[in-house]
Amino acid sequence: RSALSYINVKRSTRTLSIMGASFKIQPVNRFGGESEAVKRPKEIACFSYDDKHEFHLDDRSLQWYYPAELGADLSKGFEQFDKHDDSKDEHIDSLLKTIMAHEEEEGKKIDANVVTWRGMMTKIMSAPFDDRDGFEMNATLYQDCIFIEENHAHKQAKQLEQQRTQQGRQQPFSPDVMTYWGYKFETLSCLPRPWGEVTRDFIEHRDNEIVSNKAQYCSVVRTGIGKTTLCLGGEVDAIWDSKPTHKGAPINWIELKTSVEIRDDRSMQNFERKLMKFWIQSFLLGVPKIIVGFRSQQGILTKLEEIQTAQIPETAAKRGVRSWNANTCINFASAFLEWLRNTIDDEGVWRIQRRHRSGIIEVFKVEEVGHGSILTDEFINWRIKL
Ligand code: A3P
Ligand code: MG
Ligand code: MG
């Protein structure tokens, strides 16, 4: 049954022959045509990180959307930025804790075939049209479910590499400042409570708030692509109104994004490419609306645009966008996930890897037994008991 054979894996200067398999991304036209069935994502649980990035099994960090004032300088307050230290590997611990609590409440295991962060699925789904975004993930099979985390060492190495290449360039704003713009826009667009429960004064003085990326509200959803049922966790930026009382009903989530103003064909094409990532990210969690804050080259907020997530693929197709196609993303993900479930069929820790500009995704074992650091003892013990 095993789909494995020997593949050559380059590790630094050596080439090792190890048990593994690879999935061809190219040619992508074999994933075209009608889209495979997808399930509407439903929130099954949520959790929050507070402003110290401490975990809580509740929705305390949920924020409400309230439009930002145009003309704001997104660089303002950069020196005070309360930035989360992402050097520590957080694995999928928070997701596991939330799943455990949910299972305890329900009295049974979740039925997902794959559990991971939304960000990992975004990388997989965009793989047919983005060959610059190489990735490395670790995966382990436990009780008929594949748990996938990002390989933290690879992520950090990639960040360092990016910093090094950026340093050589002459840019008016450093990459750190430009990253700050995204978080500043969130602070300018959100309220900690619904609109009726905050003062006018608070709304008007959001520009003076200290920006932090430590607090997060994360939604955990059950969704499906093709034959695979997924449990995904991911950050949601804000809500439009309030959560419906009926469990499983669609929620009016808001995704906030910044982007440089469109001035010519080139920036138009760049934006169309970015829309693919916006769409995938929001599609996976069932976020219906994206608010794009357009900014000048200097980081001044100049325009707001509301985009319906569900409309993005259609609009792109009508405009004749050739850089990506939504059905292909879905069908690719569906085929890849099915293949992955046939490939990761044994204990141990597996690497899922796509190299920069590579046309294949490689999957091979990196640890013969156990679950590495992907699963916590707490989670394993919980499942043994259940
Ligand atoms: P923008 O997306 O407006 O640039 P998210 O949009 O996923 O909610 O993320 C919020 C902000 O985090 C982003 O705002 C960006 O500033 C920063 N960010 C997220 N992912 C990033 C990445 N891979 N590299 C650099 N910055 C990132
Ligand atoms: Mg976010
Ligand atoms: Mg956002």
Side-chain angles (χ1 to χ4, degrees):
R1 197 167 91 76
S2 173
L4 299 182
S5 56
Y6 284 96
I7 57 165
N8 293 325
V9 176
K10 275 208 185 72
R11 286 229 181 107
S12 58
T13 53
R14 293 178 305 153
T15 301
L16 306 169
S17 274
I18 55 170
M19 284 298 269
S22 62
F23 186 86
K24 286 196 183 66
I25 302 166
Q26 303 293 343
V28 300
N29 59 12
R30 65 193 207 281
F31 305 110
E34 289 282 289
S35 132
E36 293 269 341
V38 289
K39 283 197 195 87
R40 179 172 68 79
K42 287 187 185 160
E43 179 171 270
I44 56 167
C46 69
F47 71 88
S48 293
Y49 292 119
D50 64 18
D51 52 16
K52 295 188 188 76
H53 202 72
E54 274 160 22
F55 173 89
H56 302 274
L57 260 177
D58 57 38
D59 63 4
R60 71 181 65 192
S61 295
L62 179 59
Q63 299 207 86
W64 279 261
Y65 177 66
Y66 189 88
E69 201 80 58
L70 295 184
D73 180 357
L74 298 176
S75 304
K76 188 177 161 189
F78 171 68
E79 290 73 23
Q80 283 78 46
F81 183 29
D82 187 17
K83 191 172 178 295
H84 173 60
D85 171 14
D86 60 5
S87 61
K88 194 173 142 265
D89 189 347
E90 297 178 23
H91 300 281
I92 56 168
D93 294 7
S94 308
L95 189 51
L96 296 177
K97 274 192 215 165
T98 310
I99 290 171
M100 266 192 296
H102 173 72
E103 290 181 340
E104 185 156 27
E105 217 172 273
E106 299 281 306
K108 61 172 196 280
K109 276 197 316 189
I110 57 166
D111 65 351
N113 307 115
V114 172
V115 168
T116 191
W117 292 123
R118 177 261 314 269
M120 298 304 99
M121 267 315 293
T122 305
K123 286 179 196 289
I124 289 167
M125 248 179 107
S126 57
F129 301 108
D130 187 356
D131 67 357
R132 285 174 299 185
D133 191 17
F135 53 74
E136 273 189 24
M137 303 170 195
N138 302 315
T140 193
L141 180 71
Y142 182 56
Q143 296 183 337
D144 297 323
C145 177
I146 300 171
F147 296 80
I148 305 173
E149 65 170 19
E150 179 152 42
N151 187 26
H152 190 252
H154 173 260
K155 180 188 175 184
Q156 290 218 297
K158 215 167 96 172
Q159 274 172 359
L160 267 178
E161 180 60 35
Q162 272 169 359
Q163 274 170 14
R164 232 178 282 135
T165 55
Q166 298 277 4
Q167 265 165 12
R169 286 190 208 152
Q170 278 301 329
Q171 283 176 315
F173 295 95
S174 74
D176 286 349
V177 171
M178 294 178 78
T179 300
Y180 175 78
W181 290 346
Y183 298 118
K184 175 73 178 177
F185 178 59
E186 289 183 0
T187 306
L188 292 173
S189 307
C190 292
L191 301 172
R193 287 178 297 285
W195 169 78
E197 294 172 30
V198 289
T199 61
R200 193 73 240 161
D201 198 55
F202 182 90
I203 296 175
E204 280 164 10
H205 289 91
R206 284 183 292 178
D207 197 25
N208 301 327
E209 290 281 298
I210 289 182
V211 175
S212 166
N213 64 345
K214 287 179 178 158
Q216 277 185 23
Y217 169 92
C218 291
S219 184
V220 177
V221 305
R222 177 183 188 270
T223 186
I225 300 179
K227 297 193 182 84
T228 303
T229 299
L230 298 146
C231 174
L232 302 177
E235 194 207 356
V236 174
D237 290 336
I239 191 165
W240 184 267
D241 42 16
S242 63
K243 275 204 199 186
T245 43
H246 178 65
K247 233 184 167 178
I251 309 175
N252 291 325
W253 298 127
I254 297 288
E255 171 60 45
L256 298 163
K257 289 287 176 193
T258 59
S259 202
V260 69
E261 292 166 320
I262 299 167
R263 293 156 304 140
D264 50 23
D265 282 356
R266 224 190 97 206
S267 50
M268 185 62 181
Q269 277 164 21
N270 271 334
F271 184 68
E272 281 165 350
R273 286 189 62 82
K274 271 178 96 169
L275 275 177
M276 173 182 77
K277 284 278 176 78
F278 292 4
W279 172 71
I280 294 174
Q281 185 183 0
S282 295
F283 164 87
L284 287 170
L285 285 191
V287 175
K289 204 194 290 254
I290 303 166
I291 309 280
V292 183
F294 287 98
R295 57 156 180 90
S296 66
Q297 301 271 0
Q298 283 69 43
I300 305 296
L301 185 64
T302 55
K303 196 174 96 174
L304 296 178
E305 202 169 305
E306 280 184 22
I307 300 178
Q308 302 295 331
T309 307
Q311 293 298 315
I312 294 177
E314 224 176 278
T315 312
K318 271 197 210 130
R319 283 229 203 99
V321 170
R322 293 151 71 98
S323 53
W324 67 279
N325 172 278
N327 283 0
T328 306
C329 294
I330 291 171
N331 295 340
F332 171 81
S334 167
F336 175 75
L337 289 170
E338 242 182 89
W339 174 85
L340 190 72
R341 286 162 58 202
N342 286 322
T343 304
I344 299 184
D345 59 353
D346 190 13
E347 64 177 324
V349 177
W350 302 70
R351 178 70 39 81
I352 303 170
Q353 162 179 305
R354 184 196 196 175
R355 290 172 183 286
H356 180 72
R357 297 213 187 280
S358 165
I360 58 171
I361 300 179
E362 290 168 294
V363 173
F364 52 91
K365 233 186 217 193
V366 287
E367 282 171 44
E368 283 303 321
V369 292
H371 302 292
S373 306
I374 306 170
L375 300 182
T376 57
D377 291 343
E378 195 190 11
F379 184 76
I380 293 170
N381 291 333
W382 158 253
R383 278 292 183 86
I384 291 170
K385 260 192 354 215
L386 187 65

